[in-house]
Amino acid sequence: MRPPPECRTFSTPTIEQAIRDVNSLISDPDWRQIFSNVFPNTLDTTVAWHYPNRTEPYTFLVTGDITAQWIRDSANQVLPYIPFASVDEDLARLVLGLVNMQAEELLGYPYGNAFQPPPRSGLAPAENGIAVDLTVEPPFNNRTVFEAKFELDSFASFFQLSTAYWRATKDYQFMYSKSWSNAMASVLTTIRRLQEPTFNSKHKLNDPLIQYSRLTDSATETQFGSGVGNPVRYTGMAKTLFRPSDDATIFPFLVPANAFLAVELSNLSYMLTSIGVYAEQAGLAKTMANEIRRGVLQYGTTTHPKYGRVFAYETDGYGSALVMDDANGPALLSLPYLGFVSTSDVIYQNTRKMILSPDDNPWYFSGTYIQGIGSPHTGFLKVWPMAIIMRGLTSTDRTEVKECLDQLKATTSGLGLMHESVNVNKPADYTRSWFAWCNSLASQLVFDALKRFPGII
């Protein structure tokens, strides 16, 4: 259920009206209640600090039951609200505040995936119990950085949020702030470095840009090669140490993250060119977008004995390929949602069949209750509602979308909200009762399904 109005962290009549409008199109009373819960969940519960200055606002969003701001999560948390920002000035300032906050965070430490509230907010830094026994280069300050697991999709999410806000509101003044422009330029320079191979032309080690190692008994919590990651050859793609699940990569070229980055670099270039600013950065973004896209198509695919040409989940440029998909986005399942390919793309359709098969995707689970893609992050036999949502968003089949909606309704354990993962045989066995990103994504599926298939719920 929603918190009472007096306990909500942000509210606006525009979103309340949107809830009423959408619910008028839904005949299923359970889905009316679920939508009323999930769509405003980020506004209701996660706006930990908002400085609504008219010229330079700031917004700090927690991810839910973890009181830190992830770059990727926070961008996704507000995506369903951006279409309404053009008619709601308060909502526009909230989103712009997040753009500014992310710029400040990445400018301060570009390799962080999650951040603490800024000191001026008056909020105390959160305790990160697993950020111990670490060796991280460059070093970070845990008073400002919650977690320093470098995830490439953080960069793509920053660009996605910036360009989506601009497209919706036509406001471009934020681009002239030193914080945003310097963060944008810094991120582009970092991506260029991340395209470098492990060894140079003289077979000597290139200087590693990032290192992350931890004394742990969990393989997903540290990196190979004393924190540098497994070696790669040049492909045009950019390396990453961690996946969007916060688990370590096996091969540093995470294909869906690179696909996402290629799309958002192209969008960034278009925005900068349209406004007529930062021509050098616009050109670099366009160049890298093309290089990364070519790299994904040339080195990020492999031939499967059953499905033919498919996208790999991770690769290294040497010929190695990890064939699987993870529930967390960006994922292979989400490639059309991200804008990298169309749903009819042959390689994507081959890949989709493979990753939605319990026989061919090692992280696809099916039980008596639900079925779908899980993640090494939560272990065996746990499906992520996020993956069920993404299956619906990327399906063109009404029956399949309806099945996804029915499964999602069954995963809430009567709470009316989305969870991180759910046991395929025991619906009461779930992780994270407060996961705002997944709630926002679920609302996107409702909007999308009602538009494409009126009367589906």
Side-chain angles (χ1 to χ4, degrees):
M1 300 292 289
R2 295 183 69 183
E6 64 272 16
C7 296
R8 296 170 188 169
T9 56
F10 186 92
S11 61
T12 168
T14 303
I15 296 303
E16 298 304 318
Q17 184 60 50
I19 294 170
R20 291 190 290 271
D21 291 345
V22 172
N23 277 342
S24 71
L25 305 175
I26 300 174
S27 60
D28 183 335
D30 289 332
W31 262 111
R32 283 200 297 269
Q33 185 61 64
I34 292 171
F35 181 78
S36 298
N37 296 345
V38 298
F39 178 47
N41 183 250
T42 284
L43 302 180
D44 285 353
T45 66
T46 72
V47 185
W49 177 67
H50 177 50
Y51 177 64
N53 182 277
R54 287 188 177 276
T55 56
E56 196 170 18
Y58 285 89
T59 305
F60 186 85
L61 300 181
V62 298
T63 187
D65 48 18
I66 305 174
T67 55
Q69 179 174 289
W70 265 252
I71 297 291
R72 171 195 56 256
D73 288 41
S74 60
N76 280 279
Q77 284 169 239
V78 302
L79 284 183
Y81 310 133
I82 291 180
F84 301 93
S86 62
V87 296
D88 189 319
E89 185 179 349
D90 290 340
L91 195 57
R93 279 203 298 271
L94 182 84
V95 176
L96 177 57
L98 183 59
V99 172
N100 291 334
M101 191 76 260
Q102 289 190 354
E104 182 177 296
E105 290 165 342
L106 290 173
L107 187 59
Y109 189 77
Y111 313 112
N113 58 321
F115 293 83
Q116 302 279 14
R120 65 185 181 281
S121 70
L123 301 174
E127 180 74 24
N128 186 352
I130 66 171
V132 294
D133 298 323
L134 298 176
T135 301
V136 178
E137 292 292 339
F140 69 100
N141 181 356
N142 197 224
R143 301 286 295 178
T144 55
V145 178
F146 181 79
E147 191 168 59
K149 292 178 173 177
F150 173 67
E151 297 165 0
L152 188 66
D153 59 278
S154 295
F155 291 167
S157 295
F158 170 56
F159 293 149
Q160 178 190 40
L161 180 64
S162 298
T163 58
Y165 169 78
W166 167 71
R167 287 178 189 271
T169 66
K170 310 307 178 189
D171 174 20
Y172 56 84
Q173 294 302 317
F174 70 94
M175 300 180 210
Y176 294 105
S177 78
K178 287 185 178 180
S179 178
W180 188 88
S181 60
N182 288 341
M184 177 269 296
S186 173
V187 167
L188 291 177
T189 300
T190 303
I191 294 169
R192 182 52 103 190
R193 287 286 312 279
L194 291 167
Q195 292 178 291
E196 295 175 357
T198 304
F199 304 99
N200 62 29
S201 59
K202 297 181 180 180
H203 306 291
K204 304 293 184 180
L205 276 171
N206 282 319
D207 290 334
L209 187 61
I210 322 162
Q211 292 178 261
Y212 185 105
S213 59
R214 179 183 168 205
L215 184 61
T216 177
D217 60 1
S218 176
T220 61
E221 288 297 315
T222 190
Q223 256 299 349
F224 299 90
S226 300
V228 176
N230 274 319
V232 298
R233 292 176 64 184
Y234 178 81
T235 65
M237 287 187 281
K239 304 183 289 289
T240 186
L241 295 184
F242 288 87
R243 302 169 179 171
S245 64
D246 302 333
D247 290 343
T249 53
I250 294 175
F251 302 120
F253 292 138
L254 179 59
V255 172
N258 273 276
F260 183 26
L261 184 59
V263 171
E264 296 307 331
L265 283 169
S266 180
N267 288 338
L268 174 69
S269 179
Y270 174 80
M271 179 178 73
L272 298 180
T273 302
S274 297
I275 301 303
V277 294
Y278 312 124
E280 180 182 349
Q281 284 76 25
L284 177 59
K286 184 176 181 179
T287 295
M288 291 194 296
N290 292 334
E291 291 170 349
I292 292 171
R293 175 174 283 274
R294 285 195 297 268
V296 168
L297 295 175
Q298 182 175 354
Y299 297 98
T301 61
T302 188
T303 302
H304 192 280
K306 181 176 178 180
Y307 297 99
R309 203 72 183 165
V310 298
F311 288 105
Y313 186 67
E314 292 172 359
T315 186
D316 60 3
Y318 287 102
S320 303
L322 181 61
V323 178
M324 58 166 279
D325 200 18
D326 189 293
N328 273 266
L332 295 178
L333 184 62
S334 69
L335 291 180
Y337 170 83
L338 300 173
F340 186 75
V341 294
S342 69
T343 54
S344 61
D345 181 85
V346 173
I347 300 176
Y348 173 73
Q349 281 298 321
N350 293 344
T351 307
R352 184 183 179 89
K353 292 172 186 175
M354 177 188 72
I355 60 181
L356 293 178
S357 166
D359 296 323
D360 299 301
N361 179 5
W363 293 99
Y364 186 99
F365 305 117
S366 181
T368 57
Y369 201 69
I370 58 170
Q371 59 186 14
I373 300 173
S375 170
H377 192 68
T378 47
F380 300 129
L381 299 181
K382 286 193 171 179
V383 166
W384 287 49
M386 181 178 293
I388 299 174
I389 296 167
M390 191 54 64
R391 181 174 185 173
L393 284 168
T394 55
S395 174
T396 58
D397 181 75
R398 180 189 177 102
T399 300
E400 184 178 21
V401 175
K402 183 63 165 65
E403 288 173 354
C404 292
L405 289 162
D406 289 343
Q407 283 200 77
L408 289 169
K409 184 169 69 171
T411 67
T412 68
S413 296
L415 299 178
L417 293 166
M418 299 294 113
H419 302 304
E420 178 187 53
S421 70
V422 180
N423 189 303
V424 294
N425 299 310
K426 302 174 184 177
D429 179 15
Y430 60 82
T431 58
R432 300 194 65 182
S433 59
W434 182 18
F435 187 25
W437 170 17
C438 195
N439 288 320
S440 288
L441 193 64
S443 72
Q444 286 183 273
L445 176 60
V446 173
F447 280 111
D448 177 76
L450 289 172
K451 181 179 180 180
R452 292 192 292 143
F453 308 109
I456 193 170
I457 50 177

